[in-house]
Amino acid sequence: MTGKPLRLISVGRLKTPFWKDAAAHYLARITRWRRLECTEVRDGDAALPPDKRNALEGRRILDALDPQDVPLVLDERGAGLTSPQLADLLRQLDHEARGRACFIVGGAYGLDEAVRGRAFRLLSLSAMTFPHEMARVVLLEQLYRAECILRKVPYHH
């Protein structure tokens, strides 16, 4: 294994079988090269209004952060990166004295402002909005692609 460990904090569990399978598929591929710790925080009560639900989920995310985590928050207002740029970001974080890159994926209603405020970087997967389960799988696929780019494995064309 090479590269610093990574972490993923996400809201809620993957419930749909095909998202679970897809996430497990990419997680297995990534962890051949690098440790990736996945932490799921409980989603907020569905009876809460979206702003209160986000605030509760935001507190849970912030409570789950470790001191060595460098928060890379997935948000629609974040910077869009190409796959090679994501690979470069991982390379940069591997070589800096910072702690571990920690990707954060919010829940069904996005993220609380407090989580955005803690971000080292705000990143966007797309200008489009994805269901949070899909966003998690897309992120895992992109992390696998980034690892392939870094190792010159013929997956990225």
Side-chain angles (χ1 to χ4, degrees):
M1 268 193 216
T2 59
K4 287 183 181 178
L6 300 174
R7 186 169 188 211
L8 169 62
I9 297 176
S10 53
V11 174
R13 297 192 183 279
L14 293 173
K15 297 172 183 84
T16 309
F18 59 85
W19 293 131
K20 280 182 178 176
D21 292 345
H25 171 78
Y26 288 113
L27 186 59
R29 287 174 172 250
I30 293 165
T31 56
R32 288 187 296 181
W33 293 313
R34 180 191 299 254
R35 255 186 26 241
L36 174 59
E37 175 187 334
C38 294
T39 302
E40 294 174 334
V41 299
R42 198 164 44 100
D43 46 0
D45 185 342
L48 291 173
D51 61 328
K52 299 239 185 285
R53 185 174 176 167
N54 276 1
L56 176 60
E57 292 170 353
R59 280 193 301 281
R60 290 176 179 160
I61 290 168
L62 295 176
D63 288 346
L65 281 172
D66 289 335
Q68 75 268 21
D69 289 335
V70 177
L72 301 165
V73 176
L74 279 288
D75 184 81
E76 62 190 4
R77 291 169 269 189
L81 300 179
T82 64
S83 298
Q85 287 171 329
L86 177 60
D88 286 341
L89 176 61
L90 289 180
R91 182 184 297 114
Q92 173 190 353
L93 291 171
D94 280 346
H95 290 96
E96 290 180 359
R98 298 184 193 280
R100 122 186 108 174
C102 179
F103 294 88
I104 298 174
V105 177
Y109 294 99
L111 289 162
D112 188 66
E113 201 57 46
V115 177
R116 284 188 202 91
R118 284 286 301 276
F120 172 70
R121 299 253 327 246
L122 286 176
L123 304 174
S124 173
L125 291 174
S126 171
M128 295 182 234
T129 302
F130 297 125
H132 63 285
E133 289 184 302
M134 181 186 291
R136 190 181 328 181
V137 171
V138 170
L139 173 62
L140 288 170
E141 189 280 336
Q142 286 298 300
L143 290 173
Y144 172 66
R145 184 174 297 272
E147 293 296 331
C148 288
I149 291 167
L150 291 172
R151 287 165 179 72
K152 298 179 181 13
V153 172
Y155 175 76
H156 178 74
H157 304 286

